[in-house]
């Protein structure tokens, strides 16, 4: 859920942070493992078996389909319409391109309506796109158009890189803040937490918008001391894995 170039920059920066951290001062306590059942919101990707306790969650982000890079691409569904009376649902779309044809958005809106008609409580739409930090203004423009087409009863969420808050221009961040309802900041790559995440999280306060922290199940996590006091922090979303 992160772009390769920005992932590499994150990992390189994290390595440098760890080296500097070892130059002096007391060693921090070891981070704890992320226990999924200690949380209330979750990502569930196709192919991951939903645990029985997921029905008691507050919110679940379900990857519903993709928009791929190939010519004449369309919205490709990846799961059947769910039917749950438990958590509120986010319909997640993984996209590899921003030049959507009108038919793509129409297909996604029909999917949202179908999910709602099946009796689900729909929280909104989440876009998962590998936006490079230097490309945030173009991404914000795309999201602004999407927000205008999305019925107001549905919120708009996006996934994001830790580097966005540190390296994004104030103009791009401000435009994102004025468009989306939340950003879920990913602190993991694959099945593991990105080392040195603490150095990036401090910059999250630059976002000036509601955000959640995306954690990976069983990954290592030690929350910064200031996090719970940040008025923009809205909690965690745990990326579930097959156990």
């Amino acid at each position: 859920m992160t772009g390769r170039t920005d992932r590499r920059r994150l990992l390189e920066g994290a390595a440098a942070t760890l080296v500097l951290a070892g130059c002096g001062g007391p060693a921090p306590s070891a981070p704890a493992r992320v226990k999924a059942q200690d949380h209330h919101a979750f990502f569930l990707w196709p192919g991951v078996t939903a645990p029985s306790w997921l029905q008691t969650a507050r919110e679940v982000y379900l990857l519903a389909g993709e928009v791929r890079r190939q010519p004449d691409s369309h919205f490709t569904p990846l799961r059947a319409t769910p039917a749950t009376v438990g958590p509120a649902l986010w319909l997640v779309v993984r996209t590899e391109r921003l030049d959507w044809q009108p038919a793509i958005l129409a297909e996604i809106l029909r999917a949202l309506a179908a999910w709602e008609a099946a009796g689900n409580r729909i929280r909104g739409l989440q876009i998962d796109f590998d936006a490079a930090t230097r490309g945030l203004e173009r991404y914000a423009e795309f999201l602004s158009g999407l927000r205008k087409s999305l019925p107001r009863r549905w919120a708009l969420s996006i996934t994001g890189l830790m580097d966005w808050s540190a390296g994004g221009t104030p103009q791009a961040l401000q435009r994102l803040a004025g468009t989306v309802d939340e950003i879920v900041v990913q602190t993991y790559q694959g099945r593991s937490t990105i080392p040195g995440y603490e150095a990036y999280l401090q910059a999250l306060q630059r976002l000036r918008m509601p955000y959640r922290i995306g954690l990976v199940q069983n990954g290592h996590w030690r929350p910064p001391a200031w996090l719970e006091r940040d008025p923009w922090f809205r909690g965690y979303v745990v990326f579930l894995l097959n156990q």
Side-chain angles (χ1 to χ4, degrees), residues 49-165:
T49 302
S52 59
W53 50 259
L54 196 61
Q55 286 295 324
T56 65
R58 293 178 188 169
E59 295 177 79
V60 177
Y61 296 71
L62 292 175
L63 179 59
E66 297 179 331
V67 179
R68 295 166 185 158
R69 185 173 286 110
Q70 70 245 28
D72 300 321
S73 62
H74 58 279
F75 175 65
T76 303
L78 297 177
R79 68 168 71 243
T81 299
T84 178
V85 295
L89 301 182
W90 290 87
L91 187 154
V92 182
V93 175
R94 176 82 180 98
T95 184
E96 297 178 343
R97 60 192 307 162
L98 300 180
D99 54 340
W100 286 8
Q101 297 299 316
I104 292 176
L105 179 57
E107 291 169 339
I108 292 170
L109 293 178
R110 281 195 294 270
L112 277 163
W115 283 29
E116 193 170 65
N120 301 291
R121 290 189 297 124
I122 304 302
R123 182 75 176 86
L125 172 68
Q126 183 181 77
I127 301 298
D128 177 24
F129 175 66
D130 291 342
T133 301
R134 293 180 181 178
L136 280 182
E137 293 194 34
R138 177 170 174 258
Y139 189 32
E141 181 179 358
F142 163 82
L143 292 168
S144 178
L146 179 59
R147 176 68 271 183
K148 292 174 183 176
S149 300
L150 187 67
R152 278 291 166 183
R153 69 182 184 276
W154 294 325
L156 179 59
S157 171
I158 58 173
T159 61
L161 299 174
M162 290 187 288
D163 187 56
W164 286 6
S165 56

Side-chain angles (χ1 to χ4, degrees), residues 1-2 35 46 54 71 126 130 143 210 231-232 235 240-241:
M1 294 176 64
T2 56
K35 292 180 61 178
L54 196 61
Q126 183 181 77
D130 291 342
L143 292 168
W232 299 106
L240 296 178
L241 305 173

